[in-house]
Amino acid sequence: MLRRAALDIKPGMTVNLGIGLPTQVMNFVATDCPVCLHSENGIAGVGGLAAAGEANRNLIDAGGGYITCAAGGSFFDSAVSFALVRGGRLDLTLLGAFEVAANGDLANWIIPGKFAAGVGGAIELAQKARRVGVLTTHTDKHGNPKILERCTLPLTAVGCVHRIYTDMAVCDVKPDGLHLVEIAEGVTLNEVCEATGAPLIVAYGPISTF
């Protein structure tokens, strides 16, 4: 799933990787792929996750993880960082999700009754990035679908998601519904459909795998 999402990061892009699964995507971006990784706490040019024993206590991403800085990377305050986001300067953001709907609605910041530190920069990222991808497991720990016809949890942003990457499939959100793009190796079409809480539009012919 992480490797598949990394394939959609193209040379020259400015990309924000959300907390959790998305942060790990940076480990799968080709070292010869010139991209600018942005972190909303004030860094452009994140170099990757810091190796054990090499962490700099003053160099962390928005999730508090220790990172490195790429050559030419820069640091700035939150006002500048969010000006970049709100100004539409991000080509892509990859975010996690508790739920995502077939119409592109995203819920990723709170489950009522459980602690949440706050929505952070997710609202701005989801609304202002030119393209929004979601990385999540296809079902929750109880086996319930996380891709639904409509979200039941408080929304982060409406109609913002373009592509969904899960451990079972890649799906695109389009005006006419949720299109199945690829399925994971070893997973059947029936298994994907049964684990999805929304209708899937499936093209005729063989389905690509990842």
Side-chain angles (χ1 to χ4, degrees), residues 38-196:
H38 165 270
S39 182
E40 62 266 31
N41 60 319
I43 307 170
V46 175
L49 300 175
E54 298 180 359
N56 179 338
R57 60 180 295 184
N58 296 313
L59 190 51
I60 59 173
D61 63 17
Y66 292 113
I67 56 174
T68 61
C69 184
S74 60
F75 307 94
F76 32 77
D77 62 22
S78 293
V80 173
S81 186
F82 278 91
L84 292 173
V85 176
R86 293 166 183 163
R89 305 300 180 131
L90 298 182
D91 297 295
L92 171 69
T93 186
L94 297 175
L95 302 171
F98 295 135
E99 293 178 345
V100 58
N103 66 351
D105 290 353
L106 173 64
N108 77 345
W109 73 282
I110 190 170
I111 296 176
K114 295 187 177 182
F115 172 77
V119 69
I123 290 176
E124 284 88 350
L125 291 167
Q127 291 183 338
K128 298 301 183 180
R130 294 170 186 160
R131 185 169 176 82
V132 177
V134 159
L135 271 86
T136 183
T137 54
H138 209 92
T139 60
D140 65 18
K141 61 183 179 182
H142 303 295
N144 300 311
K146 297 173 78 172
I147 301 174
L148 304 168
E149 289 196 64
R150 292 289 183 272
C151 292
T152 64
L153 297 174
L155 294 181
T156 304
V158 299
C160 62
V161 177
H162 297 91
R163 174 164 280 191
I164 305 167
Y165 308 86
T166 78
D167 50 343
M168 299 183 74
V170 176
C171 301
D172 278 346
V173 178
K174 296 186 176 181
D176 61 340
L178 196 61
H179 288 246
L180 181 64
V181 178
E182 298 175 12
I183 59 176
E185 290 186 6
V187 176
T188 68
L189 175 59
N190 283 340
E191 288 173 333
V192 173
C193 292
E194 289 175 359
T196 306

Side-chain angles (χ1 to χ4, degrees), residues 9-36:
I9 296 177
K10 304 301 183 186
M13 279 185 164
T14 300
V15 181
N16 180 288
L17 302 175
I19 297 168
L21 279 175
T23 302
Q24 300 178 47
V25 172
M26 68 174 71
N27 293 328
F28 295 90
V29 178
T31 55
D32 60 351
C33 180
V35 297
C36 177

Side-chain angles (χ1 to χ4, degrees), residues 180-183 189 201-209:
L180 181 64
V181 178
E182 298 175 12
I183 59 176
L189 175 59
I201 298 172
V202 183
Y204 290 107
I207 303 172
S208 299
T209 59

